[in-house]
């Protein structure tokens, strides 16, 4: 429930940008920077929190992070000014990367390296369920008041934290120390894999952050239809995540290459089809399928190079997805402010192409000797 809540809070703003902008008396492009603030909070604050808590028992740490997320979200929902919203977003964001890292490590340990792609996909299904349910219903709830979806997130996160306090078993702190984790992160292969995530995923964010204004203002789709379309986008994302996890276990290199190639083509088609409703509906569905199809393979790529001390590297890579969101939201805001809302897909395709190049470079580097998989065995 916590993964679902944090993921919903991250993407929720995309569905209520017009309402938030109107209520706080800022432009839509400025309101979009609430996505940037959250993403930067995860990308920068997440690794700091992970290092600072490296030796803490996992249960106590997880509960504390849940409380931190709830506190930040309360500030976001209650703030009467845009600055308070930004501060609340950053506070809540600092919990996400470490929560994801703990969940990923637990799942991969249980399922084994031969099925790590599926394990990652199961954990990140909380994110895709948030896209299926959280974002569209957030857009529906937010039609009258953008704060209502955040109140719902507070309730869900509070319940999730309480359930973990009751059900999560106590485990000892990790045996690896901060020095081991930092040394792993600073490997050239790990840094290249993380860079692939930042650059490649930014292409999706450029388009998705301002997808609602694009569909309403350029394509001419009625605002009442948008929640249903976002729901369909999320269903595609849920399916794409699970499918990519299975494919990554069979062939990580082919899965990553194929996803990026199809993503590049799809993003290139967005500006060309923006004026036609049926074309845009199809493109939104395909983008939903591809957006989450990058997550499990890219996390598997990091795990492939991280060896026996992957917690910080995983947390940084979670932050890398959010840094990609920040870059995408910021650049997307520039295009919107410059009257280039329709043409954001071209910029997104350029980032996806760069991600493909970095992916090919990262895949050429041999995995550490303590890593085994179907491709490296």
């Amino acid at each position: 429930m916590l993964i679902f809540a944090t993921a919903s809070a991250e993407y929720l703003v995309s569905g209520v940008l017009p309402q938030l902008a109107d209520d706080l008396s800022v432009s839509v492009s400025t309101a979009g920077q609430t996505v940037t603030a959250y993403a930067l909070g995860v990308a920068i604050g997440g690794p700091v929190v992970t290092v600072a808590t490296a030796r803490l028992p996992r249960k106590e740490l997880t509960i504390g992070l849940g409380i931190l997320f709830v506190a930040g979200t309360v500030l976001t929902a209650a703030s009467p000014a845009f600055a308070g919203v930004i501060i609340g977003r950053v506070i809540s964001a600092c919990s996400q990367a470490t929560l994801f890292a703990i969940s990923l490590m637990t799942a991969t340990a249980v399922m084994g390296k031969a099925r790590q792609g599926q394990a990652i996909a199961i954990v990140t299904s909380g994110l895709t369920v948030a896209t299926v349910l959280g974002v569209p219903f957030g857009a529906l709830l937010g039609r009258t008041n953008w704060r209502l979806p955040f109140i719902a997130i507070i309730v869900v996160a509070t319940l999730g934290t309480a359930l973990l306090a009751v059900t999560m078993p106590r485990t000892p702190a990790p045996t690896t120390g901060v020095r081991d984790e930092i040394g792993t992160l600073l490997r050239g292969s790990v840094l290249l894999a993380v860079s692939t995530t930042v650059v490649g995923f930014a292409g999706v964010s450029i388009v998705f952050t301002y997808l609602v204004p694009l569909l309403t203002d350029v394509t001419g789709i009625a605002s009442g239809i948008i929640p249903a379309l976002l729901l369909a986008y999320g269903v595609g994302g849920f399916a794409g995540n699970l499918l990519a996890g299975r494919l990554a276990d069979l062939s990580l290199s082919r899965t990553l290459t194929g996803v990026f190639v199809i993503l590049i083509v799809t993003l290139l088609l967005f500006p060309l089809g923006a004026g036609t409703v049926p074309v845009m509906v199809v493109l939104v569905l395909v983008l939903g399928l591809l957006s989450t199809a990058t997550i499990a393979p890219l996390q598997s790529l990091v795990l492939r190079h991280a060896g026996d001390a992957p917690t910080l590297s995983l947390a940084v890579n979670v932050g890398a997805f959010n840094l990609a969101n920040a870059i995408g939201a910021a650049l997307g805001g520039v295009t919107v402010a410059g009257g280039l809302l329709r043409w954001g897909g071209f910029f997104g395709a350029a980032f996806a192409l760069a991600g493909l190049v970095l992916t090919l470079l990262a895949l050429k580097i041999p995995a550490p000797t303590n890593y085994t998989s179907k491709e490296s065995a």
Side-chain angles (χ1 to χ4, degrees):
M1 290 180 73
L2 267 179
I3 299 296
F4 169 78
T6 58
S8 295
E10 179 177 1
Y11 294 107
L12 187 60
V13 175
S14 298
V16 295
L17 281 181
Q19 296 89 337
L20 188 152
D22 182 65
D23 182 48
L24 299 179
S25 301
V26 297
S27 67
V28 171
S29 61
T30 299
Q33 301 317 304
T34 55
V35 177
T36 306
Y38 193 97
L40 288 176
V42 177
I44 298 173
V48 173
V49 170
T50 301
V51 169
T53 59
R55 288 292 190 178
L56 293 182
R58 302 294 92 177
K59 179 173 182 176
E60 287 78 0
L61 175 58
T62 302
I63 294 171
L65 292 172
I67 294 171
L68 178 66
F69 173 78
V70 170
T73 308
V74 168
L75 178 59
T76 298
S79 178
F82 185 69
V85 171
I86 292 292
I87 294 171
R89 294 281 285 171
V90 171
I91 291 173
S92 58
C94 287
S95 65
Q96 191 186 80
T98 310
L99 281 171
F100 261 83
I102 293 172
S103 300
L104 291 173
M105 289 301 300
T106 301
T108 55
V110 170
M111 297 185 67
K113 288 185 177 180
R115 300 175 64 196
Q116 74 175 21
Q118 295 178 61
I120 294 169
I122 290 171
V123 173
T124 55
S125 64
L127 184 152
T128 55
V129 170
T131 307
V132 173
L133 299 177
V135 176
F137 284 119
L140 186 63
L141 285 174
R143 291 178 66 185
T144 56
N145 188 335
W146 67 268
R147 300 176 194 271
L148 292 178
F150 286 97
I151 294 173
I153 291 299
I154 292 168
V155 173
V156 172
T158 301
L159 289 175
T161 303
L163 284 174
L164 283 174
V166 174
T167 62
M168 185 175 180
R170 295 183 182 276
T171 57
T175 57
T176 54
V178 173
R179 181 176 298 178
D180 299 316
E181 296 287 349
I182 293 177
T184 297
L185 175 63
L186 295 179
R187 290 177 187 167
S189 57
V190 173
L191 291 176
L192 183 58
V194 172
S195 299
T196 300
T197 299
V198 174
V199 175
F201 201 69
V204 175
S205 180
I206 287 175
V207 173
F208 181 74
T209 302
Y210 297 94
L211 183 61
V212 172
L214 175 67
L215 295 175
T216 55
D217 299 346
V218 178
T219 308
I221 296 178
S223 59
I225 300 176
I226 298 299
L229 190 54
L230 289 176
L231 178 62
Y233 177 101
V235 171
F238 182 76
N241 174 58
L242 295 178
L243 177 61
R246 289 183 175 273
L247 292 176
D249 288 334
L250 298 175
S251 175
L252 179 60
S253 59
R254 292 179 182 177
T255 301
L256 273 173
T257 302
V259 168
F260 271 118
V261 168
I262 301 172
L263 178 61
I264 291 166
V265 174
T266 302
L267 291 172
L268 285 173
L269 291 175
F270 258 82
L272 303 178
T276 307
V277 172
V279 172
M280 285 300 287
V281 169
V282 172
L283 289 176
V284 168
L285 297 179
V286 174
L287 184 63
L289 184 69
L290 295 171
S291 62
T292 56
T294 61
I295 297 175
L298 286 173
Q299 290 285 26
S300 293
L301 183 62
V302 171
L303 276 173
R304 174 179 178 175
H305 292 296
D308 291 332
T311 307
L312 178 59
S313 298
L314 285 174
V316 169
N317 203 48
V318 171
F321 280 105
N322 290 272
L323 181 57
N325 281 334
I327 293 171
L331 292 179
V334 171
T335 62
V336 171
L340 300 174
L341 176 61
R342 176 170 183 162
W343 311 106
F346 288 153
F347 299 99
F351 273 83
L353 177 60
L356 174 61
V357 173
L358 291 175
T359 294
L360 296 175
L361 292 174
L363 288 169
K364 288 183 178 180
I365 301 175
T369 55
N370 59 356
Y371 178 94
T372 57
S373 73
K374 291 185 178 180
E375 287 192 58
S376 60

